[in-house]
Amino acid sequence: QITLKESGPTLVKPTQTLTLTCTFSGFSLYTSGVAVGWIRQPPGKALEWLALIYWDDDKRYSPSLKNRLTVTKDTSQNQVVLTMTNMDPVDTATYYCAHGLVPFDFWGQGTLVTVSS
Amino acid sequence: DIQMTQSPSTLSASVGDRVTITCRASQSISSWLAWYQQTPGKAPKLLIYKASTLEIGVPSRFSGSGSETEFTLTISSLQPDDFATYYCQQYNSYSWTFGQGTKVEIK
């Protein structure tokens, strides 16, 4: 059974760096073809794809955010970490991580991050 | 970037209605398209991938079609659990993108 869970701060100040961790079980990032992605959703708005990291450490980023995003993995710990720099109130959103194969067939519950001073 | 445009943005329908949602890509994505259903406060749920392949466990009243730049999601007979927001997503290019969503409301 595949599960994913996001963790990190619920409140960050403008200009700070956000670090979110996705801890998963039921699959391995040692397995060929597997990826973990990050998606966010501002309150009442649409989904926005942020980043993707593959089993072979190939990384993909949203063009509009790539200068602010970094995604890394710790395969042995079954974790993927997303960092987003220079946070702004418009970055207030629920952040999801998801298992990517077909493409996103399993999702975490999401974590709401509020950016406010 | 590949842009994904869904229509309509909102759709009012009744239980038993046949419903169709359209998703257009700004350039060809072959069949690399997925559809998701999201209800308030929940994570999206994958319904269809590769344009027309039904995810395991998804009711057969959901179907997908299309290729290249134009795709449709059809619900053959709308059920109470189907009132939700639906998103398309392309996964053809280096970066993936979602459509802006279609909310299916009770008429």
Side-chain angles (χ1 to χ4, degrees):
Chain A
Q1 180 190 2
I2 290 177
T3 64
L4 305 98
K5 188 170 185 179
E6 308 85 356
S7 59
T10 58
L11 179 66
V12 298
K13 289 181 167 45
T15 76
Q16 285 187 335
T17 294
L18 171 68
T19 299
L20 293 174
T21 300
C22 176
T23 303
F24 57 85
S25 63
F27 68 96
S28 171
L29 272 170
Y30 287 116
T31 303
S32 176
V34 172
V36 171
W38 287 94
I39 305 98
R40 72 178 179 179
Q41 185 172 39
K45 295 190 177 181
L47 300 168
E48 179 181 17
W49 178 84
L50 299 178
L52 193 64
I53 186 166
Y54 285 92
W55 87 103
D56 61 356
D57 212 36
D58 183 16
K59 300 168 187 178
R60 313 281 180 92
Y61 297 105
S62 165
S64 62
L65 292 168
K66 65 177 181 179
N67 291 336
R68 298 174 53 205
L69 293 174
T70 303
V71 62
T72 60
K73 61 181 175 69
D74 184 335
T75 308
S76 64
Q77 295 294 315
N78 282 351
Q79 290 183 328
V80 171
V81 174
L82 179 77
T83 60
M84 181 180 290
T85 61
N86 194 24
M87 293 291 285
D88 183 272
V90 300
D91 297 313
T92 294
T94 296
Y95 287 75
Y96 296 99
C97 64
H99 171 262
L101 197 60
V102 291
F104 290 137
D105 48 356
F106 294 92
W107 294 62
Q109 64 191 26
T111 186
L112 176 62
V113 177
T114 301
V115 185
S116 175
S117 55
Chain B
D1 310 9
I2 297 177
Q3 309 302 319
M4 306 300 293
T5 304
Q6 289 183 233
S7 60
S9 296
T10 307
L11 187 159
S12 296
S14 302
V15 172
D17 284 354
R18 181 181 181 87
V19 164
T20 299
I21 298 168
T22 298
C23 179
R24 288 187 173 86
S26 59
Q27 63 189 74
S28 175
I29 58 170
S30 184
S31 295
W32 303 114
L33 184 101
W35 289 98
Y36 299 87
Q37 177 193 63
Q38 188 180 34
T39 53
K42 297 288 184 67
K45 173 188 173 184
L46 178 67
L47 299 176
I48 287 168
Y49 60 95
K50 213 171 177 186
S52 61
T53 303
L54 205 63
E55 174 71 342
I56 294 171
V58 173
S60 58
R61 63 181 180 272
F62 291 93
S63 64
S65 64
S67 64
E68 307 296 335
T69 62
E70 187 146 341
F71 302 86
T72 57
L73 172 70
T74 300
I75 309 172
S76 60
S77 178
L78 201 63
Q79 298 302 301
D81 285 349
D82 302 339
F83 291 98
T85 301
Y86 294 85
Y87 293 93
C88 62
Q89 181 208 6
Q90 68 81 17
Y91 53 106
N92 174 70
S93 66
Y94 178 89
S95 62
W96 298 359
T97 42
F98 288 91
Q100 83 278 16
T102 296
K103 185 175 183 180
V104 177
E105 298 181 327
I106 299 173
K107 193 171 185 178

